[in-house]
Amino acid sequence: MIDWYFSHIVLVQSTLTTLLLALSVQVPLRAGVFSFAGVGCYGIGGYIAAIGMVHYGLSTATAILLSAVVGGVVAYALGLLIQRLTGLYLAMATVAFTLIISVLVVNGGDLTGGAAGLFGALGMLDTGHLLAVAVVVVAALTFTEIGPLGRRVEAVREDPELASAMGINVARYRRATFAVSGVLGGLAGSMTVLLRSTVTPDDINFHLVVLALTIIIVGGSRSWLGALVGTVIFVWMPEVLAFVGEWEDVVYGVLVAAAAVYLPGGVTGAAVAGYRTYRRKRREAADAPPDGPPPQPVAAGVGGDS
Amino acid sequence: MASGTIEDVDGAADTAATESVLRADDVAVHFGGVKAVDGVSIELTPGRIFGVLGPNGSGKSTLLAALTRLVPLTRGSLEFEGRRYDTVRPHTIAARGVARTFQTVRILPGRTVFDNVALGAESAGSAGKAERGRARQRARTAIERTGLAGKERHRPDELSYGYQRRVEIARAIASEPTLLLLDEPTAGMNRQERDDITGLLGDLRGEGLTQLLIEHDVQMMVDACDHLFAMNFGELIADGEPEAVVRHPAVQEAYLGKQGRAHA
Amino acid sequence: MLDVSELHVSYGPVHAVRGVSLLAEAGRITLVLGANGAGKSTSLRAICGLQPAGGGSVRLDGAELLGKRPHRIVREGVSLVPEGRRIFAPLSVAENLRIGGYTAGRSRVAALADGVYDRFPILAQRRDMPAGLLSGGEQQMLAFGRALMAQPRVMLLDEPSMGLAPGMVDTVLDRVRAIADSGIGVLMVEQNVDAGLAVADTVSIVARGEVVRSGDAEELRQDASVVHALLGDAALAEEGTA
Amino acid sequence: AEGGIATQEGIPQEIKLLGVRDQTGPVAYAGIGGARGGKLAITEINRSGFLGDGVKLTIEEIDTAGSIETASAEMAQATADRTVHAIMGPTQGQQAATVAPMVERAQVPTIFTQAGSDGVVINDYTFRATAPMASYYHLATEYLAAKGLRDVSVLYNATYPTFAEIGEGAFPKQADRHGLNIVSSTPVQSTTQDFTTPVRSIAGENPEAVVMLLTEPQSVTALTQLRQAGYDGQVMGTSVQGGGNLTEAGRHGEGVIYPTDFSPALRSEKARDFVAAFRERFGQKPDVYAAEGYDGMWWLARAIKASGSASREGIKRGLQQVAKEGFDGVMGELTFEGNDMRVPGVLVRWNGRSEELVSDGGAS
Amino acid sequence: MAQHILNAVALGSVYLVFALGMALSWSTIGILNFAHGATFMFSAFTAHVVTQHAALPMPAVVLIAVAAGALIATLTQLLAFGPIMRRATDHRSAELRILIGGIGVAAIPLAIAERVTASAPFGFRGSTYQAQVFEVFGLRMTTTVLVIVVAGIGIGVGVWRWLATSRQGLALRAIGVDSETASLMGVDRSTLALGTMATSGALAGLAGALLTFQLGAISPASGDQLLIKAFAIVVLGGLGSMGGVIVGAFVLAGAETFVLAMNQGTWVDAVSFGLIFVVLLLRPQGLFGRKEVRRT
Ligand SMILES: Nc1ncnc2c1ncn2[C@@H]1O[C@H](COP(=O)(O)OP(=O)(O)OP(=O)(O)O)[C@@H](O)[C@H]1O
Ligand SMILES: Nc1ncnc2c1ncn2[C@@H]1O[C@H](COP(=O)(O)OP(=O)(O)OP(=O)(O)O)[C@@H](O)[C@H]1O
Ligand SMILES: CC(C)C[C@H](N)C(=O)O
Ligand SMILES: [Mg+2]
Ligand SMILES: [Mg+2]
């Protein structure tokens, strides 16, 4: 067990940081905001942490905190700037934001280390710290998923106009998701960099956007659990698929495509749907007279309807 | 109330009423060249059901959108419980107690009937635990009253059209609003089903709820409303006692087919 | 000409239509009445191939339609004015009509559209506006006009009068009558019972997925209270099971 | 359990190594080449009984698939595996820099090939069997100066650390020293695909030589378009050209000269034997990556022999000891700066089908 | 200056040919195909493999790539997007899944090509085609550029007009809005969708062949780089507007060429994406896009 843990420590840790990254895209998406600003803030957070540590000797905690705050503030400001945008237009604008950041750091001279990036920003972080952060984040997010707040977030996503006719301040929700995604992105970026000690402009790329999106769609886009499931799948897939060797990417592609086709709500969505069917079946079984004939479809009709 | 085109069929009845819930003054909504609403002034007094009649495209729904701030006003002013609100954002006025239904069904597809109604119920109050309990109770009551009992756990797309409309109504009344705006709430229902809804609206009036109702069923409007407005081409063409309004020649001319004439 | 017999449709465990039989004959209007949730729309959708049927048959002049894909069925000459209008919101009014005439051959589209514009002048005024901006009633007119463009042999109408002002209800139903008189079979669901009865030839009343009564419209016109009672019963029954 | 515990001193019968590098993904060619070179070396080492009778080196390759995450995850597992004696590390600069602190923590000696950026050779356990490109790029500069090609334009990928370093640092400095005149310096990005605009400007300047510091596909395009833009002067490339991509440039690639750490055209006996053996085994000529993998593996074997121990500590000590002395490899006389390899380098010309020697820094 | 404009036009045409295919399926039937880049790359790769065995002239190479592209896209539609669309209740829920389906599909040809080439660049060395360089009015260009510009602008304008005026074009747009209702109009949605995807794939193949001729070689990763640019172009032009795609392609190419001509090569992406960002700030629906139609 201990051995297993130590040889998989990187996977365990990157599961936790990747979860935060995925959440930074999922949180806005859940409110109908198709924003990848979180990925840009992942880059910002990574660089701030590395710069803080390498150039200014900040402590690990300070570096992470600073990254989260700056990420949140930058994303919030971005949100203010582009609040008129929706859908894929918003997606494009935020992808542009992310890619611009990667160009900025290439051209950042000594501060950012240019094309080579920065090295030696090894933070004092262990799995326990990461776990604590993840738990706090997940607990906080749970509140936005269940009960009244959950319903409101869903209304903001599904029908903003309806939501505002229900007294919900849609613009404020949207701006808030920007800030949250910035904080999450900043956390994810800074912790990733402090774990691996290096950051380069290449770390902020379109593939990260794709990865985050794939994780939450395959895992399930409606709750943090979906993000977690997706993260576990994609972080551990190379490990699990190692046996197919060089065809790993082909298998990966087939699995992702199959998930898109067969799992409309992602893995968690499928699980929830399966559970519902199971419960309904049980209800029906319980409703049927114990010694009578099995319920005919005809009989089940109105019964199920009412 | 300034527009010269309004023919006040019996002006006296209204002015005697108490303080108004909502007052719209010379409201106009233009979309480019389309004058969807053009200088409408209305006043809604507490505890009554007001109806809006008018041909298709006469601006009824747009008027409702204007009253709920979902479209910008081209001109005019709005007042709710004595406070101007023609520049606030839609959620503000909704939060003050104006609930509405939409002409085309708008419900959250992924949520159950109960959740949809609860969304309305919760929009009224704070987030406290006791209040949450009350909100659930309000939602349950609204579901009962709209004939949705037993369908709480259904998803909207599993419901027939008529039942989807009821969800809209339930959601609106669950917020226990001060003013309820209904845009063709009974479209797709037959006479009996309409009567149920009308009965419900009457009960709500009994509880003091002010309502503004848009419907094309003249019989139902006459039965249900205390006061009718008739619109055509974005303007009010008549305003007053229901019976009087539907008999008004301009309304007959603009609006009523065989069905309405039979009634008059 | 369109002979629906013993149609069954289920949504998963919900058996919504249970052995419905309906007939649409050339030159005649068959009115389908029923309470909310009775299974009217489901039946029409199944006839058009939008919903897989669990059993029964739908024959057009003897040829089986069940199992065919919707666009095939439409090309056989069956067109539907769907519940809830379903106009193409971002397309202009004119484009909505053009797509309605997709099967009708290029050359006739313009003339057919002019016919619709004559009947509904407001649509002509809104010709180049995205259809989604129309008022509810205007959209209903467009949906109706769009179905006319297909020049069907059988027309299925799911509440064509919904959201229409009384005057316009007359226009539409008169038009339906005229269509039927030109030799087209019409199967029409209506909640506006009186207006529907006024133009119908035959009536079928559906409750809980079954036809509980069918007969001559004339008969029922004389005794409208029977209809109302049946509908009322159905509604009560619905609530009763709830 | 199979294999010994890698912390035990002495030389066991089986010495287990792991290669953790790209076998798929965008720079797979480097990892694949490195792995092949290493395999060939292992066969020779084992067959010759270099480490003693019956002592066998074994290696297993693990794919990092072009991803930093995978690289660090696989390295974590590799370093945690107590039967692993040493690791042949990732070829990509960033992957390598990320795992470098890790191998120190786990105290597993790791030899990198390629991985040209800073931050890779940073502690006692990190070793590199590839000389930084900048360390032998002077061969190019000297050649240009000797041929009197003084007006030079530089076209370089500024988002790629190795090239940025030469384009902005090493080359301008050397050019200055040798009296070359840099007419223009044009940075592009890794995402630049079409070079019409920059090469037009360069062709317009008509310098006597163009120094081209670009990735593989970029090189092909830039060369093709440079020629189409009417430039027919000398083009000076980098060892990236050794990967065979110039074949794709067809006649446009003919005559390009570049410094490299290894060329199949090298005339030393070691190199000739290596080329022949490699050909026999893999059916093609070895590239620079293979040569680095091969010399890297021999470095390791010599290290074990030198310290008399295949334990992790022993290998580390041995590698340092060998580095201090240097040795002869297929890349020529190898010297070291700390744990980092230096090569004499060689300048070659692409004749359209293969490399020809132009001059060598003593590698033959 | 004139030379720079010509270069921008050439680059814009390359982008255009690539983006057209993507925009076609996206703005009609609502399929944002993230495998478009991989289709592009793999078509070129297929042609590359064939030219290694047979010395073919340019038209034959192009034809092979076009056929390969059409085939890949058809398979993608049959195996991934088609089933997704059939299963989805509404288009919005299908949208993200289509995106992910495309990402999954894209991994497959990419992995194969990377495997075979070990990620080294590949081109049409075996083809008999040799680009000729010529000068008109002092401007230098190659026959390849000429072909690309003609093909790009010709096909672009053709597709644009066809979509705007033809019956099928209208049907395609209707499918994109509400495919169920479209089928009620007699539109054979699956066949039309398949045809659209095949055409889109053929355009990807065409782009693959032409761009490989233009660049000399591409690498397996080249498709991804173009994908994000094409995405940017379509959004910049405004979703649903083919004219917008044409303008968008040239605007982006113009911006990039300008930055390169100023010798600020490392700022290219920042400037081009910055430009898109600013355009969206000013026009949230892109240059020629329509605002979403929605009313109360
Ligand atoms: N956003 C808009 N842009 C342009 N015209 C519009 C817009 N919204 C509404 N209209 C037009 O304004 C007129 C009034 O529409 P409105 O929806 O208010 O009518 P209505 O009285 O509710 O009709 P109905 O009874 O058919 O629902 C209609 O002719 C409609 O086409
Ligand atoms: N997608 C669905 N999934 C599950 N059940 C459904 C679905 N669609 C309809 N139903 C159920 O099928 C039954 C018949 O619905 P249908 O829409 O045919 O009724 P209707 O007669 O058209 O009613 P209305 O007058 O309200 O339009 C209803 O009980 C409804 O709840
Ligand atoms: C595989 C090589 C192209 C890697 C490159 N030399 C680097 O340092 O990253
Ligand atoms: Mg209306
Ligand atoms: Mg219905």
Side-chain angles (χ1 to χ4, degrees), chain A residues 108-223:
Chain A
D110 285 342
L111 185 67
T112 60
L118 293 169
F119 301 92
L122 195 55
M124 309 279 275
L125 267 184
D126 61 35
T127 313
H129 298 134
L130 299 181
L131 199 61
V133 172
V135 167
V136 169
V137 164
V138 161
L141 288 181
T142 307
F143 279 107
T144 70
E145 288 171 10
I146 56 170
L149 188 54
R151 283 191 271 269
R152 273 182 233 176
V153 169
E154 186 154 335
V156 169
R157 173 183 73 238
E158 293 292 336
D159 192 339
E161 200 174 67
L162 169 66
S164 63
M166 315 285 318
I168 298 169
N169 187 345
V170 173
R172 206 173 73 196
Y173 275 67
R174 290 167 60 97
R175 286 195 304 267
T177 65
F178 268 96
V180 172
S181 95
V183 169
L184 292 175
L187 280 176
S190 57
M191 298 200 307
T192 304
V193 166
L194 295 181
L195 282 171
R196 63 160 87 127
S197 82
T198 68
V199 63
T200 73
D202 255 7
D203 286 329
I204 316 165
N205 57 34
F206 189 55
H207 281 280
L208 221 51
V209 169
V210 171
L211 175 71
L213 195 62
T214 314
I215 284 178
I216 57 185
I217 304 299
V218 172
S221 56
R222 296 288 186 260
S223 104

Side-chain angles (χ1 to χ4, degrees), chain E residues 225-246:
Chain E
Q225 283 169 26
L226 276 174
L227 188 74
I228 170 75
K229 288 200 171 143
F231 181 66
I233 286 168
V234 180
V235 174
L236 179 65
L239 256 183
S241 162
M242 278 291 158
V245 176
I246 301 178

